[in-house]
């Protein structure tokens, strides 16, 4: 157990009712998890307000309540503390509760619209190859050294983040690479963490359902760099027009990377093929198994972070050449009848455009490119028509289908996608509600040497419909379908 006042260190407190010298067992912001001698933090959410569950938490055994608004009735024996911001208080308390674990390793945060997962995951793998005990907090997975844990959010809640970091401390982890989402920054999930470095990849249309405007989305990303310490470094992609903006108020060391503009770390693409990239970085050539311009940026960011953290340049280039692609990020399979199926997480207009342009750059033009794409429900609806038009304009055939409709009507989502297609591309599109049937249709349309892109879900192994998650793995399904079709064609030969 720990003394309540010790975990309130650096929390901005407005008022206290009761005793802060009391011993507490755990900190929770979900009243369903509260038990005897716990602290309940009443966090206001987008759909549920924790203040409505203060009474329930006390009935479950909470001995202290942290809130933004004091309840009308205060119960004797319970400590009530009002704070300026419950989200921020929760993050600071989480860090204190676990004895500030971010200070006992080197934590690097990666933010931006696209590339966060790839950069963080590749850094984890590179530092592991270099012989360091390493941790990862990503959309795909959480790694505490060699131990894998399931990932539920791009940026977990503060208790989960600090719990994982504490486990990393106990496991002797020296470096941790963490995806930092705009939601995570806005909801103060990273408050109280000490980062030695931050990376900005790019900024394009996404999450405008939450942030309401691109400027607000950009400003939230910038806040991450504003809060870095003078001892940290801020690594920014200056080929993105928002890169310089991220630097404006940061106290961290400013470091840049780019393919096009002058930068501290510069790369040039010498070859771009389906079997990999040949890059020139710092006047040294390196071959990578990764594919596409967007991965050239990702690899350059990884190189820059590794060098900034003190690794030797030639050693880093060697490890870069050994790195494999991240699951669900331009992951591909070539069937026996030479159809290439690519699965990618591209779920924003810019990410989809980047993937399709990469494929079109590499292919000869004699093959057909068939794209299967959908848009998630209960998320930014403004990107739906944009993504549909990109798919239709850059593919020979675009099949619109369900992604994760969640609680939305999937037919409505598809209608909003179809509305964005320019008239000259109408005859290149099909709409098939069932995702498995859409993938099957793409496989049936594909001929020898053709390319199928299945976009939007990437690494996800489920499909969420009406709040229920059912097993669904794009790569597994397309692989089975193409293999079965190949066996069937051989049987008819």
């Amino acid at each position: 157990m720990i003394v309540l006042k010790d975990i309130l260190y650096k929390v901005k407190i407005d008022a206290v009712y009761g005793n802060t010298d009391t011993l507490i067992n755990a900190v929770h912001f979900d009243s369903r998890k509260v038990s005897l001698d716990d602290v309940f933090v009443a966090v206001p959410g987008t759909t549920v307000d924790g203040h409505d569950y203060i009474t329930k938490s006390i009935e479950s055994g909470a001995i202290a309540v942290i809130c933004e608004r004091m309840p009308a009735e205060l119960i004797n024996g319970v400590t009530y503390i009002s704070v300026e911001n419950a989200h921020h208080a929760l993050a600071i308390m989480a860090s204190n509760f676990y004895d500030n674990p971010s200070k006992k390793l080197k934590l690097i945060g990666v933010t931006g619209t696209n590339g966060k997962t790839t950069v963080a995951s590749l850094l984890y793998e590179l530092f592991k190859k270099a012989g360091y005990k390493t941790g990862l907090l990503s959309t795909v997975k959480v790694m505490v050294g060699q131990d894998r844990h399931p990932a539920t959010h791009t940026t977990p809640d503060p208790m989960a983040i600090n719990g994982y970091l504490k486990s990393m401390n106990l496991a002797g982890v020296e470096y941790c690479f963490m995806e930092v989402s705009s939601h995570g920054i806005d909801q103060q999930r990273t408050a109280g963490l000490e980062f030695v470095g931050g990376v900005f990849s790019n900024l394009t249309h996404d999450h405008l359902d939450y942030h309401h405007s691109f400027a607000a989305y950009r400003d939230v990303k910038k806040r991450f760099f504003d809060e870095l310490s003078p001892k940290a470094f801020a690594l920014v992609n200056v080929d993105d027009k928002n890169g310089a903006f991220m630097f404006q108020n940061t106290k961290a060391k400013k470091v840049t990377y780019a393919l096009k503009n002058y930068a501290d770390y510069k790369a040039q693409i010498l070859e771009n093929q389906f079997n990999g990239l040949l890059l020139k970085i710092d006047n040294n050539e390196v071959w990578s198994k990764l594919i596409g311009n967007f991965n050239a940026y990702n690899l350059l960011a990884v190189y820059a972070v590794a060098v900034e953290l003190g690794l030797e340049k030639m050693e880093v280039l060697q490890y870069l050449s050994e790195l494999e692609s991240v699951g669900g990020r331009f992951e591909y399979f070539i069937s026996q009848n030479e159809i290439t199926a690519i699965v990618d997480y591209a779920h924003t207009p810019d990410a989809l455009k980047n993937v399709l342009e990469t494929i079109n750059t590499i292919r000869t033009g004699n093959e057909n490119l068939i794209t299967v794409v959908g848009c998630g429900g209960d998320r930014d609806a403004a990107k739906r028509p944009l993504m549909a038009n990109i798919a239709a304009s850059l593919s020979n055939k675009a099949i619109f289908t369900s992604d994760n409709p969640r609680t939305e009507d999937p037919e409505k989502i598809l209608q909003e996608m179809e509305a964005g297609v320019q008239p000259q591309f109408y005859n290149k599109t099909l709409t098939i509600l069932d995702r498995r049937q859409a993938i099957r249709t793409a496989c049936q349309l594909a001929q020898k040497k053709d390319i199928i892109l299945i976009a939007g879900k990437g690494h996800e192994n489920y499909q969420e419909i009406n709040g229920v998650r059912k097993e669904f793995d794009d790569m597994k399904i397309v692989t089975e379908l193409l293999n079965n079709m190949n066996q069937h064609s051989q049987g008819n030969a």
Side-chain angles (χ1 to χ4, degrees):
M1 299 181 79
I2 190 170
V3 179
L4 176 59
K5 69 179 181 183
D6 290 342
I7 65 167
L8 292 171
Y9 178 63
K10 291 190 176 180
V11 173
K12 296 175 183 176
I13 295 172
D14 290 335
V16 178
Y17 173 89
N19 182 14
T20 60
D21 284 321
T22 187
L23 288 171
I24 59 100
N25 184 49
V27 179
H28 292 293
F29 62 94
D30 183 341
S31 62
R32 295 168 295 184
K33 296 180 180 179
V34 172
S35 58
L36 188 65
D37 294 336
D38 287 350
V39 177
F40 175 64
V41 184
V43 175
T46 51
T47 55
V48 175
D49 189 343
H51 290 77
D52 297 334
Y53 296 88
I54 290 176
T55 301
K56 181 180 182 298
S57 72
I58 293 170
E59 291 170 353
S60 298
I63 199 170
V65 172
I66 315 297
C67 54
E68 294 180 5
R69 305 184 305 276
M70 285 283 195
E73 182 183 354
L74 303 181
I75 298 170
N76 286 330
V78 176
T79 301
Y80 296 86
I81 298 169
S82 69
V83 296
E84 182 181 307
N85 184 307
H87 287 283
H88 187 268
L90 174 64
I92 300 298
M93 291 171 69
S95 188
N96 290 333
F97 183 81
Y98 285 107
D99 195 22
N100 298 292
S102 65
K103 294 182 179 180
K104 297 167 186 173
L105 47 68
K106 292 184 177 178
L107 180 63
I108 290 85
V110 184
T111 196
T113 305
N114 303 311
K116 295 189 298 294
T117 301
T118 298
V119 171
S121 299
L122 293 180
L123 280 165
Y124 167 80
E125 294 295 340
L126 188 147
F127 274 73
K128 198 167 69 170
K129 286 180 181 294
Y132 295 98
K133 287 189 176 180
T134 312
L136 173 67
L137 293 168
S138 81
T139 303
V140 178
K141 61 187 175 182
V142 173
M143 297 297 297
V144 179
Q146 300 290 344
D147 296 333
R148 178 170 179 156
H149 303 264
T152 55
H153 295 80
T154 299
T155 307
D157 67 76
M159 292 304 296
I161 292 172
N162 284 278
Y164 285 130
L165 292 175
K166 181 66 174 181
S167 297
M168 291 180 197
N169 291 164
L170 295 173
V173 166
E174 299 164 83
Y175 295 91
C176 177
F177 303 99
M178 174 181 175
E179 287 188 56
V180 180
S181 67
S182 59
H183 289 70
I185 300 166
D186 189 57
Q187 295 169 14
Q188 304 277 351
R189 296 180 213 163
T190 56
L193 299 179
E194 187 169 299
F195 290 90
V196 301
V199 182
F200 169 75
S201 60
N202 50 61
L203 201 69
T204 60
H205 183 127
D206 200 15
H207 303 307
L208 298 195
D209 55 321
Y210 179 89
H211 298 289
H212 305 302
S213 73
F214 187 84
Y217 176 46
R218 178 200 62 196
D219 291 349
V220 166
K221 293 286 189 186
K222 178 179 175 294
R223 195 191 309 162
F224 173 68
F225 295 94
D226 292 348
E227 294 170 356
L228 290 176
S229 80
K231 296 178 182 178
F233 66 83
L235 175 68
V236 164
N237 173 12
V238 288
D239 280 349
D240 186 291
K241 62 184 178 182
N242 300 287
F245 181 75
M246 300 296 149
F247 275 156
Q248 282 185 4
N249 299 309
T250 191
K251 297 180 283 293
K253 173 189 174 184
K254 298 175 182 178
V255 189
T256 59
Y257 73 101
L259 266 65
K260 300 172 185 175
N261 292 303
Y262 174 80
D264 299 308
Y265 292 93
K266 195 89 163 47
Q268 179 184 356
I269 298 173
L270 302 178
E271 291 182 28
N272 189 3
Q273 304 170 9
F274 268 125
N275 61 345
L277 280 167
L278 180 62
L279 299 175
K280 181 182 279 189
I281 300 177
D282 276 356
N283 292 316
N284 292 297
E285 292 187 8
V286 59
W287 177 263
S288 170
K289 300 173 187 177
L290 278 67
I291 302 165
N293 290 17
F294 52 94
N295 272 324
Y297 281 103
N298 294 335
L299 289 162
L300 181 58
V302 169
Y303 173 84
V305 170
V307 173
E308 287 298 315
L309 289 174
L311 270 63
E312 199 273 323
K313 290 182 179 181
M314 295 308 294
E315 180 187 20
V316 175
L317 290 171
Q318 178 190 330
Y319 295 138
L320 279 184
S321 68
E322 298 171 4
L323 294 174
E324 303 281 348
S325 133
V326 178
R329 271 65 178 175
F330 216 97
E331 188 177 4
Y332 69 95
F333 159 77
I334 302 175
S335 72
Q336 288 184 347
N337 51 351
E338 299 180 55
I339 295 170
T340 300
I342 301 165
V343 170
D344 194 273
Y345 189 53
H347 62 287
T348 66
D350 187 64
L352 182 62
K353 183 171 179 282
N354 284 340
V355 171
L356 286 168
E357 286 182 343
T358 291
I359 295 170
N360 284 324
T361 298
I362 297 171
R363 71 186 181 120
T364 65
N366 297 316
E367 329 86 335
N368 282 317
L369 170 56
I370 304 165
T371 298
V372 179
V373 65
C375 293
D378 302 332
R379 298 292 188 271
D380 186 358
K383 66 184 180 184
R384 294 170 185 172
L386 302 176
M387 289 183 66
N389 193 60
I390 288 167
S393 63
L394 296 176
S395 311
N396 297 103
K397 180 70 71 176
I399 303 175
F400 304 143
T401 190
S402 289
D403 188 281
N404 291 316
R406 300 183 178 88
T407 63
E408 269 197 85
D409 178 359
E411 291 189 356
K412 174 178 170 288
I413 295 172
L414 289 171
Q415 287 168 5
E416 291 177 359
M417 290 182 69
E418 291 168 348
V421 179
Q422 294 176 4
Q424 65 267 35
F425 303 132
Y426 286 163
N427 63 349
K428 295 166 65 177
T429 67
L430 288 173
T431 299
I432 301 173
L433 186 65
D434 182 86
R435 190 174 182 90
R436 182 182 292 270
Q437 185 55 48
I439 296 172
R440 183 186 300 277
T441 302
C443 292
Q444 290 168 338
L445 290 172
Q447 302 294 316
K448 186 176 181 179
K449 300 287 187 180
D450 284 353
I451 301 163
I452 300 169
L453 170 66
I454 306 170
K457 285 169 51 58
H459 66 281
E460 293 175 351
N461 58 4
Y462 64 85
Q463 187 175 32
E464 186 175 337
I465 303 173
N466 290 323
V468 178
R469 290 188 175 188
K470 296 182 179 179
E471 184 180 339
F472 199 103
D473 186 318
D474 284 349
M475 180 55 79
K476 182 179 177 181
I477 288 168
V478 73
T479 302
E480 288 175 355
L481 286 169
L482 287 175
N483 283 339
N484 288 340
M485 288 171 61
N486 184 63
Q487 289 168 8
H488 182 71
S489 64
Q490 287 177 344
N492 291 336

